[in-house]
Amino acid sequence: MSHPAAGDASARAPGPRPSLRDAVTALLTAEEHGDHASSFRLLDDEGRRNYADVLRWRDRRNQLPAVTGFQIQTSSEGTGTVDVLVNHAPGLDPFVGLSPAHEHERWVGRQEHGGWLLDAEATSDPVLPSEAGVVPAVMAWVRAAEACDAPGVRAHQAVDPLLGTGNAAAQLCSVKIAFSPGAADNVQPGPATQQLVAQFNADALLWARSVTLTGAAAPIRIVVAPIGDTWRVIGVFA
């Protein structure tokens, strides 16, 4: 089935749905199929003022992780909100940033044009893996690096080269240091935060975690990102 072209009048006309749940289902189903023209028709008047045509809406949606599936959690026409668990292909990209495997989205709807239409911007909170896995992930990477196990290092990294010391794994190859890891923490201000924000935008400060290793001449800070249900190394800072 062909989708309406961006310049067609049908692509610009609002397409309200009889219920709020129907509107959210239609918008996310369209996004799941890359049909931005159809999802654009579910925007309320304010959203259509902010994104005056399908092309601008498409560009906005392409800045976000692509939808691969979703499950409606709760829907309330009384409050005009729908909570949805949205699925994405997990990954890390300089343009999109983090694509979590799952995130909670809250869509706000309004009754306009004889039905329900939606605010253009849903609020979202990524579903992150347990922080209990941060330190084990860091130490698995360290052990692979010390063993000069290149495939093992790659399996525990999300980017290559790393932020900070790009060849940190090679520097640890055959080095035997009794590292002691500290607790997982948010990334503290400094070069690590600057590089994170420059590479993956300010949202990185919400999902990245850091572990400080002691035992070497100076502390080493390992930064990890949540990729699916695991944590993987993305930076090493000495």
Side-chain angles (χ1 to χ4, degrees), residues 11 17 39-40 49 53-54 81-82 107 113 115 123 145 154 172 196-198 210:
R17 294 303 169 105
S39 62
F40 177 76
R49 283 193 293 271
D53 53 48
V54 174
T81 59
V82 177
W107 287 86
H113 301 281
T123 59
R154 287 194 295 271
L172 289 174
L196 272 174
V197 171
S210 175

Side-chain angles (χ1 to χ4, degrees), residues 137-138 141 156-159 162 222-225 231-236:
V138 166
W141 178 85
H156 294 291
Q157 284 185 193
V159 298
L162 296 170
I222 311 291
V223 177
V224 297
W231 295 90
R232 296 186 190 174
V233 174
I234 60 172
V236 177

Side-chain angles (χ1 to χ4, degrees), residues 118-223:
L118 302 170
D119 190 293
E121 304 293 345
T123 59
S124 62
D125 294 298
V127 179
L128 303 182
S130 170
E131 293 202 9
V134 171
V135 172
V138 166
M139 296 312 296
W141 178 85
V142 169
R143 287 192 293 269
E146 290 179 329
C148 307
D149 176 8
V153 166
R154 287 194 295 271
H156 294 291
Q157 284 185 193
V159 298
D160 188 16
L162 296 170
L163 302 180
T165 304
N167 65 342
Q171 293 188 24
L172 289 174
C173 178
S174 298
V175 173
K176 299 300 181 183
I177 299 175
F179 284 114
S180 296
D185 196 3
N186 293 330
V187 181
Q188 301 304 307
T193 59
Q194 294 168 9
Q195 290 196 30
L196 272 174
V197 171
Q199 189 74 4
F200 302 117
N201 72 56
D203 287 346
L205 301 182
L206 301 176
W207 50 254
R209 298 293 182 268
S210 175
V211 173
T212 299
L213 304 179
T214 56
I220 298 174
R221 293 172 180 81
I222 311 291
V223 177

Side-chain angles (χ1 to χ4, degrees), residues 63-65 91-100 199-201 203-204 207:
Q63 294 172 355
L64 303 173
L92 194 59
D93 178 87
F95 180 69
V96 174
L98 177 71
S99 291
Q199 189 74 4
F200 302 117
N201 72 56
D203 287 346
W207 50 254

